[in-house]
């Protein structure tokens, strides 16, 4: 099987993935089309979308998800994390440029020296201002933005901008007066040479201030860098306002807190950290504080309206990720809007926040200490969901809490409404790619399922809650023994696995509950599944906590959480050029997980992370084109470790992409790849209006280059180049016109009797590619549109939990063609009913939920799992006519494969005889210095040559991986491992006893 063949399997048979192993990169690549679409929705720029997408794939290569069953959830979390870090305000960039800018050389006359000294004093004064005043003044006077334009950039009201300008000037006057006494205004005189022709008209900055700005911009006696020019304007504004009226002393209640004086890096104690790429600390002042302390805390007011009629959206849940916290995912908070559509969040850490709403995309904003940031969000037209919640007997579950996921994020979401006494509920305008579930006291949580349909559709949803549940009550104490008010608590595992509803529909395991402790440190979780429940907790600077507790049916379990002191990490990140690097991400742990920690460097390259677990930790430090590094640090409880790192950066590859006529190819993807993994871009550039591309910081792993349409990740690229000269910037790449996607399918999808199939999905793809794309399909009319796609042989496939699968024959499409396939119908579905039989003494010991019964179609494609009831009976999902095999898999059970032929509409019953079996653990090793360059084959066979297990293994960096082989009877077995570079291994072992064994089979690959 080639490197791409696993991708089709990941699309059609996601649940074949073993949830205990990391996902292979090919499985993740199968979801590349919607990842690109998600990136485009989250950012406005195609180039930025390309960058964050490429970083997501790099994260997938270096740190694959631990849960192979939910690749989309993991990819969406990674992408959102990266997007959030990229969306730092432009003001920070301007301020950093201002910090490193220098005046150009001028004649060394006394007047020039005097002006330079004055300018230096002003520059220092401006750059020492706290945010948001520093960036606001620079945007106003350096960039020439109006207060209205600044308000748009900063996402705050115009009145707030005007106040920041006025307050910033007042703070600067106060600072200058402290340093230079009452003669501070004379300091500015050498800078102010007003041209008599300068306009005195007031600008948007206001009155005399605006007039001074207009006058000062006409000066030509000084040639200065951008920061100098900006400070000249600030100086003019200060001098003019002083000349008009003496500066008023700032009120005590408006004064900003003084910046904490900190030692230089040279004065810091020796760093206890041990790290790769650690450098000598630069001798510059460090003003790093924990992100949550930079500028203190502010408030956030979110106003939500319905886009369709402009009315307030009351009762909508707003979910806020505060990126000023050390763990924005653990410390996220939610609340519902009031009748006016408003939700106010107090005590929000200053910095970037991601304000999302429960049924549509949200907005990014910046929160500043002591101020209120306002965000307005409109909910676009979506799906109208009418639902009901029922128990195992189809009786309504009254007052169940309805949970809705975030966009393509199956285990993060909120309880958004409550069902009535009859178990019914309605949700207006639910967005795309969201899952729905329910919780209720006394019941285990329901499975989660995707909300189907297009905007404007009206869909019915039934949520089953078949099992009893329990309750957990707990307390959280901080490391100092006090009640941990506001502690974040997670109950359940992150990373949902695929399941099936009792009707056979695709579903996912219940999402975890996310709670906040009250003022007494108490929390209550209701509607939990019976059995062991995983619990995590985080609070303040204390170390993360993780444990488990047993949940009993119709009972209340208890848990007392005692947190321990955490560790902290601070330091400075330098770019490859040796200068402080701004907006560099530092990540610890799996992206977006509850236990992870994240931060970004400040303007001076400094950072600080708190609430870390003691022990050895490896941090990922990523700066896109600025470079990257990894660093391992020893963290000690109650102490702050030091880490100073310089990023490494490679050369550039750049050029232009044109078509056969010499015209620029716009909006296509140029990627750095390895030759054996086409479509997997280590770095990506989207061609601009002239067809230009630039791949800066060429990845060390990459050895080839390819060109593709932006959303076509698999199949043949439009152009491939296997010899790339790093440093080359004049490449001209010519792609064939026939590689452009311009064709479409349209039609109508119906059931056997012409009815609309509301639960159907429709995908399309070309003959030469395993990648499949979702078509637009209405859940109310059945009309669809698929494309655009490349000219050539293309095909359609429809899937429905209630109808099975429908294949539409391939068709040759021409460039620009839209082909109407007419009305295509599912055939009458059939089902396979299974009854498990065997020795009574064996059946009496079995847990029905632990037996894996799967239905496989032609080519052993997975066609669903059969859930057994307490009588060890169950039925398959709806299946079209054809041949199938029914497989039983379990560590200590085995059964012969059962082959069945199913006719259209047939209900077929089969008995499967099981017997005891056993399993073995297999440890595969190879030279860690020469890892395989792609996934490799692992095959287990019995003495007759019958294949027991055949899977692709992901090459781990440590030179080893572990595999479980189950359903083994007595006899001899063989393990074969085959790598694409020719290395292989063949080992045999004998099972002589079916008792549980801890034996590990060693397989060294040579």
């Amino acid at each position: 099987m080639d490197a791409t063949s696993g991708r089709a399997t990941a699309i059609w048979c996601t649940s074949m993935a073993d949830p205990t192993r990391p996902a292979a990169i090919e499985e993740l690549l199968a979801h590349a089309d919607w990842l690109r679409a998600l990136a485009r929705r989250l950012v406005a720029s195609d180039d930025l979308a390309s960058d964050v997408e490429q970083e997501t794939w790099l994260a997938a290569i270096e740190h694959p998800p631990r849960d192979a069953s939910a690749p989309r959830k993991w990819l969406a979390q990674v992408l959102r994390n990266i997007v959030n870090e990229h969306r730092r305000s432009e003001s920070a960039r301007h301020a950093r440029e201002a910090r490193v800018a220098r005046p150009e050389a001028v004649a060394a006359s006394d007047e020039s020296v005097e002006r330079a000294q004055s300018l230096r004093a002003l520059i220092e004064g401006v750059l020492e201002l706290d945010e948001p005043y520093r960036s606001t003044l620079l945007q106003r006077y350096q960039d020439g933005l109006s207060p209205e334009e600044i308000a748009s950039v900063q996402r705050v009201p115009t009145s707030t901008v005007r106040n920041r300008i006025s307050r910033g000037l007042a703070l600067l006057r106060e600072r200058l007066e402290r340093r230079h006494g009452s003669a501070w205004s004379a300091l500015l005189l050498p800078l102010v040479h007003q041209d008599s022709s300068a306009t005195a008209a007031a600008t948007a900055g206001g009155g005399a201030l605006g007039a001074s700005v207009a006058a000062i911009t006409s000066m030509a006696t000084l040639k200065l860098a951008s920061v100098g020019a900006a400070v000249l304007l600030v100086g003019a504004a200060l001098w003019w306002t002083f000349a008009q009226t003496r500066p008023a002393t700032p009120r005590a209640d408006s004064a900003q807190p003084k910046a904490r004086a900190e030692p230089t890096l040279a004065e810091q104690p020796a760093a206890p950290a041990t790290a790769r790429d650690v450098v000598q600390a630069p001798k510059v002042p460090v003003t790093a504080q924990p992100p949550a302390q930079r500028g203190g805390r502010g408030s956030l007011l979110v106003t939500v309206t319905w886009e369709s009629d402009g009315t307030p959206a009351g009762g909508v849940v707003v979910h806020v990720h505060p990126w000023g916290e050390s763990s924005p995912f653990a410390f996220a908070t939610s609340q519902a809007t009031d009748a006016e559509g408003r939700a106010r969040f107090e005590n929000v850490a200053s910095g970037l926040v991601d304000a999302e709403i429960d049924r549509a995309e949200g907005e990014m904003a910046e929160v500043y200490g002591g101020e209120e940031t306002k965000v307005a969000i409109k909910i676009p037209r979506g799906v109208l969901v009418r639902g009901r919640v029922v128990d195992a007997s189809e009786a309504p579950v009254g007052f169940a809490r309805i949970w809705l996921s975030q966009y393509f994020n199956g285990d993060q979401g909120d309880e958004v409404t409550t069902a009535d006494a009859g178990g019914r509920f309605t949700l207006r305008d639910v967005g795309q790619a969201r899952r729905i579930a329910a919780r209720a006291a006394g019941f285990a949580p329901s499975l989660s399922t995707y909300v189907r349909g297009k905007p404007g559709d009206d869909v019915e949803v039934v949520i089953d809650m078949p099992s009893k549940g329990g309750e957990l009550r707990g307390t959280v104490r901080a490391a100092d023994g006090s009640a941990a008010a506001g502690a974040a608590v997670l109950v359940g595992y992150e990373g949902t696995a695929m399941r099936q509803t009792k009707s056979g529909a695709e579903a996912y395991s219940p999402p975890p509950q996310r709670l906040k402790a009250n003022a007494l440190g108490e929390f209550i979780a209701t509607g939990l599944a019976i059995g062991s429940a995983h619990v995590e907790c985080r609070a303040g600077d204390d170390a993360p906590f993780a444990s488990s507790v047993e949940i009993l049916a119709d009972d209340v379990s208890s848990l007392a959480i005692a947190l321990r002191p955490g560790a902290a990490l601070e330091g400075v990140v330098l770019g490859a050029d040796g200068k402080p690097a701004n907006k560099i991400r530092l990540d610890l742990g799996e992206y977006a997980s509850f236990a992870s920690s994240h931060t970004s460097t400040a303007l001076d390259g400094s950072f600080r992370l708190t609430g870390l677990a003691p022990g050895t930790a490896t941090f990922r430090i990523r700066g896109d084109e600025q470079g990257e590094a990894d660093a391992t640090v020893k963290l000690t409880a109650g102490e702050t470790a030091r880490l100073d790192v310089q990023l490494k950066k490679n050369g550039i590859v750049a050029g232009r992409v044109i078509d056969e006529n010499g015209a620029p190819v716009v909006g296509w993807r140029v990627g750095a790849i390895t030759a054996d993994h086409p479509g997997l871009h280590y770095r990506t550039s989207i061609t601009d209006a002239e067809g230009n591309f630039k791949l800066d910081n060429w990845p060390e792993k990459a050895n080839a280059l390819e060109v593709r349409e932006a959303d076509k990740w698999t199949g043949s690229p439009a152009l491939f180049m296997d010899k790339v000269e790093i440093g080359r910037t004049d490449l001209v790449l010519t792609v064939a016109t026939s590689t452009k996607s311009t064709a479409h399918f349209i039609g109508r999808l119906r059931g056997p009797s012409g009815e609309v199939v509301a639960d159907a999905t429709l995908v399309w793809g070309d003959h030469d590619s395993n990648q499949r794309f979702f078509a637009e399909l209405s859940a109310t009319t059945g009309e669809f549109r698929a494309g655009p796609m490349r000219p050539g042989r293309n095909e359609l496939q429809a899937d429905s939990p209630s109808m099975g699968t429908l294949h539409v024959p391939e068709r040759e499409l021409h460039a620009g063609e839209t082909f109407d396939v007419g009305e295509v119908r599912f055939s009458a579905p059939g089902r396979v009913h299974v009854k498990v039989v065997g020795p009574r003494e064996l059946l009496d010991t079995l847990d029905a939920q632990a037996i894996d019964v799967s239905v496989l179609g032609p080519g052993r494609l997975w066609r669903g799992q059969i859930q057994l009831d307490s009588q060890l009976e169950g039925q398959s999902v709806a299946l079209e006519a054809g041949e199938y095999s029914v497989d039983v898999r379990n560590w200590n059970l085995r059964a012969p494969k059962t082959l069945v032929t199913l006719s259209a509409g047939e209900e077929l019953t089969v008995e499967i005889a099981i017997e005891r079996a056993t399993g073995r653990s297999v440890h595969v090793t190879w030279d860690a210095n020469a890892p395989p360059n792609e996934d490799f084959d692992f095959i287990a066979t019995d003495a007759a040559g019958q294949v027991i297990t055949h899977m692709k293994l992901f090459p781990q960096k440590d030179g080893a991986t572990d595999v479980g082989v189950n359903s083994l009877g007595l006899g001899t077995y063989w393990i074969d491992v085959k790598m694409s570079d020719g290395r292989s291994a063949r080992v045999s072992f004998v099972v002589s006893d079916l008792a549980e064994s801890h034996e590990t089979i060693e397989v060294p690959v040579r």
Side-chain angles (χ1 to χ4, degrees), residues 750-768:
R750 295 284 195 272
S753 302
E755 71 276 22
V756 173
V757 183
D759 62 359
T761 57
L762 185 68
V763 296
W764 60 270
D766 65 75
H767 177 74
D768 297 324

Side-chain angles (χ1 to χ4, degrees), residues 1-190:
M1 187 166 67
D2 61 26
T4 63
S5 60
R7 298 169 193 161
T9 306
I11 277 280
W12 307 129
C13 12
T14 311
S15 290
M16 288 189 72
D18 179 353
T20 64
R21 65 168 178 83
I25 193 64
E26 283 78 8
E27 296 176 13
L28 298 177
L29 279 173
H31 308 284
D33 57 315
W34 68 258
L35 183 68
R36 173 58 181 159
L38 175 59
R40 284 180 171 176
R41 291 188 62 178
L42 295 182
V43 301
S45 162
D46 282 347
D47 282 342
L48 182 54
S50 171
D51 288 343
V52 299
E53 188 180 6
Q54 157 249 309
E55 290 180 45
T56 303
W57 291 122
L58 282 180
I61 297 169
E62 297 175 356
H63 303 280
R66 61 173 178 243
D67 180 0
S69 66
R72 288 188 176 182
K73 179 276 303 183
W74 186 85
L75 288 169
Q77 286 181 331
V78 175
L79 180 69
R80 283 178 177 277
N81 182 28
I82 294 171
V83 167
N84 289 336
E85 292 295 347
H86 272 276
R87 282 177 168 170
R88 297 296 185 186
S89 65
E90 280 296 303
S91 59
R93 180 178 64 82
H94 292 314
R96 182 176 182 273
E97 291 171 351
R99 179 180 294 275
V100 300
R102 293 290 183 268
E104 295 182 6
V106 296
S109 63
D110 292 341
E111 181 181 355
S112 297
V113 171
E114 185 179 8
R115 284 199 299 266
Q117 291 173 340
S118 300
L119 180 60
R120 178 178 179 180
L122 264 180
I123 290 176
E124 291 175 348
V126 172
L127 296 183
E128 288 173 359
L129 289 175
D130 291 333
E131 291 291 1
Y133 307 106
R134 173 178 54 202
S135 60
T136 302
L137 290 182
L138 288 173
Q139 285 178 320
R140 180 70 186 97
Y141 298 110
Q142 171 179 292
D143 298 341
L145 300 182
S146 69
E148 290 76 13
E149 291 170 325
I150 299 173
S152 176
V153 171
Q154 296 185 356
R155 297 175 184 260
V156 297
T158 303
S159 59
T160 300
V161 173
R162 297 185 193 279
N163 289 337
R164 288 177 180 177
I165 293 173
S166 175
R167 208 161 157 193
L169 292 173
L171 289 170
L172 183 57
R173 284 195 300 266
E174 180 186 18
R175 189 182 300 272
L176 291 174
E177 189 166 4
R178 285 201 310 268
R179 291 184 179 179
H180 304 286
S182 59
W184 67 268
S185 60
L187 179 75
L188 306 181
L189 287 175

